[in-house]
Amino acid sequence: MRIALFFTFEMSLERWDKSGILKRELALYNRLADKGLEIGLFTYGSNNEYGYSECLGRGIKINLLLPRRSHSSWSRFISSWIAPIKLRHALRGVDIIKTNQFWGCWTGMIAKLFFGKPWIHRNGFEH
């Protein structure tokens, strides 16, 4: 089984690390990978994300939603709406699409609509 996890808008492994939640957030996905599931992490990070590969279980792959860092939040926001279509090659064969928060769930929703796969929307703390 293959799962695509879309991160919260503007969130990355690096930001999880800096806020002290990296190990906790990855624990579930590492356990799933140990059971043989393949997981694609779709983050808003830069190429620095690949430095976290050693923290990831076998079968977990990093995918950058917006590989070219734009300085404009608005252009990143607009680009995030088409990112799932641009990354369709990385999403082929995915069985489940999951989003991590409400802010940014549109990427998973668009992937769900585009690929017709089940979508799990997890909603954590919101202001």
Side-chain angles (χ1 to χ4, degrees):
M1 177 174 283
R2 293 183 64 206
I3 299 172
L5 170 67
F6 286 90
F7 277 44
T8 306
F9 182 65
E10 297 289 43
M11 190 54 68
S12 64
L13 292 168
E14 184 174 24
R15 287 186 65 192
W16 276 359
D17 189 22
K18 287 181 179 177
S19 62
I21 63 170
L22 178 69
K23 189 175 181 178
R24 181 193 77 200
E25 292 291 324
L26 287 177
L28 169 65
Y29 304 106
N30 282 330
R31 283 195 309 266
L32 291 172
D34 288 343
K35 302 275 186 202
L37 277 72
E38 293 178 32
I39 300 159
L41 304 178
F42 291 81
T43 83
Y44 287 90
S46 66
N47 286 335
N48 295 343
E49 296 291 89
Y50 298 113
Y52 292 95
S53 294
E54 74 251 8
C55 301
L56 304 176
R58 196 168 148 222
I60 300 178
K61 185 176 185 228
I62 297 168
N63 299 277
L64 303 180
L65 279 166
L66 306 175
R68 293 186 186 97
R69 294 291 294 185
S70 168
H71 297 290
S72 164
S73 293
W74 279 107
S75 75
R76 291 178 60 71
F77 176 76
I78 292 165
S79 294
S80 72
W81 285 83
I82 59 171
I85 297 165
K86 283 188 167 186
L87 292 169
R88 63 188 171 272
H89 63 279
L91 290 164
R92 290 201 197 285
V94 164
D95 298 300
I96 296 174
I97 296 164
K98 181 180 180 292
T99 51
N100 225 21
Q101 295 286 348
F102 182 75
W103 184 238
C105 71
W106 56 84
T107 55
M109 179 187 64
I110 291 166
K112 183 255 184 299
L113 294 171
F114 195 73
F115 293 100
K117 299 297 180 177
W119 172 36
I120 298 171
H121 172 67
R122 179 190 150 245
N123 198 39
F125 174 78
E126 294 294 330
H127 297 283

